């Protein structure tokens, strides 16, 4: 049986646990596959790693791979932001491609800080047009479809983090779905794995994972590949929301998910995964 998380943050970036503490928690929670994915370089020192910190991170993950090889399969990954592409992807077992910022003339802002910050961002730079904000995000996300080093697309609709009450936009808005579907088409055609991400559940911002159920259904209907990640920043919540996510995944019609092995990503029957 398989229990996997490949989206894991530690003290090397904005998580609160050491790498080894997370490994021990994963074993206790009966994970069979654990991937570390600290943030690559970003302008925020607390958010991403500089070159020296990244080198230390890689060394420590590789040591833990060997130390715990008889108990759990550990993989070395990194979360690469769309604005800050890493220089040497070859040292990593896998790469998560994510978008955390929107950037334009005279501004660069994080998109998942708070509801108030999102409101200010949309007001100041998108003329109070949330759909324009969405389009800007999706246009940039499409770029990673052709980046060979990117295996997984992280939290596909992150900008909806504070929209579960649909106060910004309805999840079924036709214009919104059109741009989301076009972006998914591009990613699926380029064989990117779409992450089902429970991170906002653990932090209390949402009761459901990314992406929204409408999008999960579309991914399944168009033969897209998915995997389940917790975007863990606290080892206590390594599998937080997995039961909720698996229910939605099954309801969306998926019969399989991806798992990372020593031979790369493999497609496994959904009944092989345990929560």
């Amino acid at each position: 049986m398989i229990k996997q998380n490949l989206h894991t943050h530690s003290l090397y970036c904005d998580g609160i646990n050491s790498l080894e503490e997370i490994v021990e928690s994963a074993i206790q929670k009966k994970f069979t596959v654990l991937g570390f994915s600290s943030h690559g370089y970003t302008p925020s020192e607390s958010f991403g790693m500089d070159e020296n910190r990244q080198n230390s991170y890689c060394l420590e993950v590789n040591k833990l791979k060997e130390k715990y090889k008889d108990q759990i399969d550990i993989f070395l990954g990194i979360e690469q932001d769309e604005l800050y592409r890493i220089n040497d992807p070859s040292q990593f077992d896998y790469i998560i491609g994510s978008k955390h910022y929107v950037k334009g003339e005279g501004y660069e802002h994080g998109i998942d800080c708070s509801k108030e910050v999102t409101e200010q961002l949309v007001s100041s730079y998108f003329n109070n047009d949330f759909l324009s904000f969405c389009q800007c995000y999706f246009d940039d996300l499409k770029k990673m479809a052709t980046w060979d080093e990117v295996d997984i697309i992280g939290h596909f609709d992150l900008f909806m983090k504070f929209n579960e009450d649909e106060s910004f936009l309805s999840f079924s808005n036709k214009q919104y779905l059109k741009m989301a579907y076009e972006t998914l088409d591009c990613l699926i055609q380029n064989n990117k794995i779409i992450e089902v991400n429970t991170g906002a559940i653990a932090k209390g911002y949402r009761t459901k994972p990314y992406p929204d159920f409408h999008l999960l259904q579309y991914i399944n209907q168009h033969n897209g590949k998915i995997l389940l990640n917790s975007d863990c920043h606290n080892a206590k919540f390594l599998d937080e929301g997995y039961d909720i996510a698996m229910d939605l995944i099954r309801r969306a019609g998926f019969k399989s998910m991806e798992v990372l092995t020593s031979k790369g990503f493999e497609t496994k029957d959904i009944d092989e995964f345990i929560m």
Side-chain angles (χ1 to χ4, degrees):
M1 302 299 284
I2 303 162
K3 188 173 184 180
Q4 171 180 259
N5 179 55
L6 300 179
H7 196 154
T8 317
H9 298 287
S10 70
L11 289 170
Y12 277 99
C13 53
D14 57 345
I16 70 167
N17 300 102
S18 70
L19 297 179
E20 191 153 20
E21 286 173 338
I22 298 167
V23 173
E24 290 170 350
S25 177
I27 293 169
Q28 188 272 326
K29 292 177 180 289
K30 302 188 184 306
F31 277 82
T32 58
V33 181
L34 176 66
F36 288 105
S37 59
S38 285
H39 292 286
Y41 170 79
T42 70
S44 170
E45 292 182 2
S46 63
F47 189 65
M49 300 179 291
D50 61 20
E51 184 176 355
N52 289 335
R53 197 161 180 78
Q54 182 175 304
N55 289 338
S56 297
Y57 160 75
C58 292
L59 285 171
E60 186 174 352
V61 173
N62 285 325
K63 287 180 181 177
L64 291 171
K65 279 188 186 186
E66 182 64 23
K67 180 176 180 179
Y68 289 94
K69 65 182 180 181
D70 294 329
Q71 299 178 69
I72 190 170
D73 292 330
I74 297 174
F75 293 95
L76 171 61
I78 194 166
E79 186 174 12
Q80 169 184 268
D81 191 84
E82 177 267 332
L83 286 178
Y84 301 98
R85 197 170 181 180
I86 61 174
N87 294 322
D88 180 16
S90 63
Q91 61 190 306
F92 299 102
D93 298 319
Y94 68 98
I95 292 177
I96 299 174
S98 298
K99 182 165 180 61
H100 300 94
Y101 304 93
V102 286
K103 183 177 183 178
E105 188 173 346
Y107 71 90
E108 179 179 326
H109 286 284
I111 62 169
D112 64 333
C113 302
S114 70
K115 186 163 190 172
E116 293 71 26
V117 169
T118 301
E119 289 172 343
Q120 184 178 4
L121 178 60
V122 175
S123 172
S124 299
Y125 302 109
F126 297 93
N127 296 314
N128 282 318
D129 185 349
F130 196 80
L131 281 170
S132 293
F133 173 55
C134 299
Q135 188 67 69
C136 175
Y137 176 95
F138 281 137
D139 285 346
D140 285 343
L141 200 64
K142 286 178 187 175
K143 296 174 185 176
M144 290 190 287
T146 58
W147 293 3
D148 290 341
E149 77 273 17
V150 171
D151 302 290
I152 302 163
I153 298 298
H155 36 61
F156 175 81
D157 51 349
L158 179 64
F159 56 87
M160 290 291 209
K161 181 174 182 177
F162 305 104
N163 188 57
E164 195 164 63
D165 60 359
E166 299 187 299
S167 55
F168 287 121
L169 186 74
S170 169
F171 285 101
S172 58
N173 180 285
K174 290 183 179 180
Q175 289 177 269
Y176 167 70
L177 288 176
K178 182 176 184 294
M179 62 180 74
Y181 292 163
E182 287 175 351
T183 306
L184 285 170
D185 287 341
C186 190
L187 296 170
I188 291 168
Q189 288 163 12
N190 284 275
N191 206 35
K192 302 306 181 190
I193 302 166
I194 310 300
E195 169 191 76
V196 179
N197 180 308
T198 67
I201 298 175
K203 294 179 179 179
Y205 295 122
R206 291 170 60 103
T207 61
K208 297 176 183 176
Y210 312 105
D212 176 65
F213 187 66
H214 293 88
L215 307 184
L216 271 180
Q217 288 180 305
Y218 187 88
I219 295 165
N220 177 59
Q221 291 162 2
H222 291 77
N223 300 312
K225 297 178 180 180
I226 63 164
L227 51 70
L228 176 57
N229 282 334
S230 65
D231 199 348
C232 179
H233 290 72
N234 181 332
K236 291 192 301 183
F237 304 122
L238 197 57
D239 55 1
E240 187 74 13
Y242 268 32
D243 53 344
I244 296 169
M246 281 301 296
D247 177 62
L248 291 173
I249 287 167
R250 291 180 186 277
R251 284 170 49 200
F254 286 95
K255 303 299 183 186
S256 64
M257 294 199 299
E258 301 305 301
V259 61
L260 185 55
T261 75
S262 59
K263 298 178 181 178
F265 285 96
E266 297 182 0
T267 303
K268 298 291 185 179
D269 189 282
I270 201 165
D271 291 332
E272 293 188 48
F273 291 85
I274 58 172
M275 296 303 103

